[in-house]
Amino acid sequence: MATATPTTAPPTAPATGRTGGRWIDDWRPEDPAFWNATGRRVARRNLFFSVFSEHIGFSIWSLWSVMVLFLPEPVFGIDPAGKFLLTTLPTALGAFVRLPYTFAVARFGGRNWTIVSAALLLVPTIATAVVLEPGVSFTTLLVVSCLAGVGGGNFASSMTNINAFYPQHLKGWALGLNAGGGNLGVPVIQLIGLLVLATAGAEHPRLVLLVYIPFIVVAAVGAALLMDNLRTASNQPRAIRDALREPHTWIMSLLYIGTFGSFIGFGFAFGQVLQNQFTQDFATPLAAASLTWLGPLLGSLIRPLGGSLADRFGGARITSWNFVAMAVGAGVVLTASREESLPLFLVGFVLLFVFSGIGNGSTYKMIPAIFRAKAMDEVAAGTESAVADRRALRLSGALIGIAGAVGAFGGVLVNLALRQSFLSTGSGEGAYLAFIAFYAVCVAVTWAVYLRPGNRLAGV
């Protein structure tokens, strides 16, 4: 297999400070001849290994949504509020590291950083295996659970990297597939946890960890052997500062709190919500684990559909209607909670997972489309096309990282809202009302900024 595409054009960025690795200098995905002859094959190879590495990263990030099921209160002395904290902290750290992970792609290259980010997953996996036993202090568990947050960073670097590989008309599909395959890491580790609980029992959480160690090694080695770095995605000065000054950065981050924040927050908390809301039906960890994987699985599988629908109908239109559907889903959950109806409760949460998955795909399609539209305006005003395109790629890559980080903090807010609601009232109804209100705000913002008649960004 060739290690780099033949260079037919000057590098779009200097290679100062970068040595080694598989670097591609000439990358023109918007050129049909280049894409059909070379680009598609290289992009698909990189997409495959990006998905695999991100998938393992999501599994490790959501590790403690499974580990808390192996911590019976009589043995470990950790109450439900403490368990919510154990799942909240890795969510927070995962959100925080998404920013440096995003810009690591520009600094070190997508392939090179995938190797490093995959190898780092060994740290929380091995640390958890070492300390997780009866008698361990709650403080130690909090520290070790934080380490799992490094898995959350993989998403940002992976999405930024894949965004640079694909042409505009395929970005929704490619980003949706990349993210959806990564999101599948949440239900997969929950299914593995269920299998361990059903066979070996709650006394053997280390079996879950032992499953993942060889896959982490495969992800790092596969990236080293078969992925590439793009020079066009490297050396982007001041990207974060420019993106932070861009109003669309904060608008898209708000929308992504509603979609991805909901997905990851519910994914981490769903098992505990079931145990607290319907104690009589989910008295054992095995009973809760038997259902926790379903919502994240459906939400992950449907994310590429959200990207494809956005490619066809426009990301803003799909996103707007999607938030309406999420508000309906939260309303079903609220009604089921008040009526103490477990079947209706499960239906409502499944709806939330499904529509959060669709929204994840449609919002990420909007990001490159927004800057593509702005680039076309710049070209119409006299800017060279290549300059405008490079600026659009730089800002969209930065925004993907920032929105990913802020959106992940939405998962922290979901867990904190549920924790506070159960502490204050013994149910999650206060949190469900807050979710409905927030989704309504997202509908209004999407319409006002991207769908209002006469808006020059109405097609994004």
Side-chain angles (χ1 to χ4, degrees), residues 66 69-70 189-199 208 285-293:
V66 175
L69 300 177
F70 289 86
I189 195 171
Q190 291 173 346
L191 282 169
I192 291 173
L194 171 62
L195 179 63
V196 172
L197 283 169
T199 55
V208 177
L286 180 59
S290 65
L291 286 176
T292 53
W293 57 273

Coordinates of all heavy atoms in Angstrom, one line a residue, residues 66 69-70 189-199 208 285-293:
V66 N -21.0 1.7 33.4 CA -21.1 0.2 33.6 C -20.5 -0.1 35.0 O -21.1 -0.9 35.7 CB -20.3 -0.5 32.5 CG1 -20.3 -2.0 32.8 CG2 -21.0 -0.3 31.2
L69 N -22.6 -0.2 38.2 CA -23.5 -1.4 38.4 C -22.8 -2.5 39.1 O -23.5 -3.4 39.6 CB -24.0 -1.9 37.0 CG -24.8 -0.9 36.2 CD1 -25.2 -1.5 34.8 CD2 -26.0 -0.4 36.9
F70 N -21.5 -2.4 39.2 CA -20.7 -3.4 39.9 C -20.3 -2.9 41.3 O -19.5 -3.5 42.0 CB -19.4 -3.8 39.2 CG -19.6 -4.5 37.9 CD1 -19.9 -3.9 36.7 CD2 -19.5 -5.9 37.9 CE1 -20.0 -4.6 35.5 CE2 -19.7 -6.6 36.7 CZ -19.9 -6.0 35.5
I189 N -20.1 -1.3 25.3 CA -19.5 -1.6 26.7 C -20.6 -2.0 27.7 O -20.4 -2.8 28.6 CB -18.6 -0.5 27.2 CG1 -17.8 -1.0 28.3 CG2 -19.5 0.7 27.6 CD1 -16.7 0.0 28.8
Q190 N -21.8 -1.4 27.5 CA -22.9 -1.7 28.4 C -23.4 -3.2 28.1 O -23.8 -3.9 29.1 CB -24.1 -0.7 28.2 CG -23.7 0.7 28.7 CD -24.7 1.7 28.4 OE1 -25.6 1.5 27.5 NE2 -24.6 2.9 29.0
L191 N -23.4 -3.6 26.9 CA -23.7 -5.0 26.6 C -22.7 -6.0 27.2 O -23.0 -7.0 27.7 CB -23.9 -5.2 25.1 CG -25.2 -4.7 24.5 CD1 -25.1 -4.7 22.9 CD2 -26.3 -5.6 24.9
I192 N -21.4 -5.6 27.1 CA -20.3 -6.4 27.6 C -20.5 -6.5 29.2 O -20.4 -7.5 29.8 CB -19.0 -5.8 27.2 CG1 -18.7 -6.1 25.8 CG2 -17.9 -6.5 28.1 CD1 -17.5 -5.4 25.2
G193 N -20.8 -5.3 29.8 CA -21.1 -5.3 31.2 C -22.3 -6.2 31.6 O -22.2 -7.0 32.6
L194 N -23.3 -6.2 30.7 CA -24.5 -7.1 31.0 C -24.1 -8.5 30.9 O -24.5 -9.4 31.7 CB -25.6 -6.8 29.9 CG -26.8 -7.7 29.9 CD1 -27.5 -7.7 31.2 CD2 -27.7 -7.3 28.7
L195 N -23.2 -8.9 29.9 CA -22.8 -10.2 29.7 C -22.0 -10.7 30.9 O -22.2 -11.8 31.4 CB -22.0 -10.4 28.5 CG -21.4 -11.7 28.2 CD1 -22.5 -12.7 27.9 CD2 -20.5 -11.7 26.9
V196 N -21.1 -9.8 31.4 CA -20.3 -10.2 32.6 C -21.2 -10.4 33.8 O -21.0 -11.3 34.6 CB -19.2 -9.1 32.9 CG1 -18.5 -9.4 34.2 CG2 -18.2 -9.1 31.7
L197 N -22.2 -9.4 34.0 CA -23.1 -9.5 35.2 C -23.9 -10.8 35.1 O -24.1 -11.5 36.1 CB -24.0 -8.3 35.2 CG -23.4 -7.0 35.7 CD1 -24.4 -5.9 35.4 CD2 -23.1 -7.1 37.2
A198 N -24.3 -11.2 33.9 CA -25.2 -12.4 33.7 C -24.4 -13.7 33.9 O -25.0 -14.7 34.2 CB -25.9 -12.3 32.4
T199 N -23.1 -13.7 33.6 CA -22.3 -14.9 33.7 C -21.4 -15.0 34.9 O -21.6 -15.9 35.7 CB -21.5 -15.1 32.4 OG1 -20.7 -13.9 32.2 CG2 -22.4 -15.2 31.2
V208 N -14.6 -7.0 32.3 CA -15.0 -5.9 31.3 C -13.7 -5.2 30.8 O -13.5 -5.0 29.6 CB -15.9 -4.9 31.9 CG1 -16.3 -3.8 30.9 CG2 -17.2 -5.6 32.4
P285 N -28.5 -4.9 39.7 CA -27.7 -4.4 38.6 C -28.0 -5.1 37.3 O -28.0 -4.4 36.3 CB -26.3 -4.5 39.1 CG -26.3 -4.6 40.5 CD -27.6 -5.3 40.9
L286 N -28.2 -6.4 37.3 CA -28.4 -7.1 36.1 C -29.7 -6.7 35.5 O -29.8 -6.5 34.2 CB -28.5 -8.6 36.4 CG -28.8 -9.5 35.2 CD1 -27.7 -9.4 34.2 CD2 -28.9 -11.0 35.7
A287 N -30.8 -6.4 36.3 CA -32.1 -6.0 35.7 C -31.9 -4.6 35.0 O -32.4 -4.4 33.9 CB -33.1 -5.9 36.9
A288 N -31.2 -3.7 35.6 CA -30.9 -2.4 35.0 C -30.1 -2.5 33.7 O -30.4 -1.9 32.7 CB -30.3 -1.4 36.0
A289 N -29.0 -3.3 33.8 CA -28.1 -3.5 32.7 C -28.8 -4.1 31.5 O -28.4 -3.9 30.3 CB -26.9 -4.3 33.1
S290 N -29.9 -4.8 31.7 CA -30.6 -5.5 30.6 C -31.3 -4.5 29.7 O -31.6 -4.9 28.6 CB -31.6 -6.5 31.2 OG -32.7 -5.8 31.9
L291 N -31.4 -3.3 30.1 CA -32.1 -2.3 29.3 C -31.3 -1.1 28.9 O -31.6 -0.3 28.0 CB -33.4 -1.8 29.9 CG -34.6 -2.8 29.9 CD1 -35.7 -2.3 30.7 CD2 -35.0 -3.1 28.5
T292 N -30.2 -0.8 29.7 CA -29.5 0.5 29.5 C -28.8 0.6 28.2 O -28.6 1.7 27.7 CB -28.4 0.6 30.6 OG1 -27.6 -0.6 30.6 CG2 -29.0 0.8 32.0
W293 N -28.5 -0.5 27.5 CA -27.8 -0.4 26.2 C -28.7 -0.1 25.1 O -28.3 0.4 24.0 CB -27.2 -1.8 25.9 CG -28.2 -2.9 25.9 CD1 -28.6 -3.6 27.0 CD2 -29.0 -3.4 24.8 NE1 -29.6 -4.5 26.6 CE2 -29.8 -4.4 25.3 CE3 -29.0 -3.1 23.4 CZ2 -30.7 -5.1 24.4 CZ3 -29.8 -3.8 22.6 CH2 -30.7 -4.8 23.1

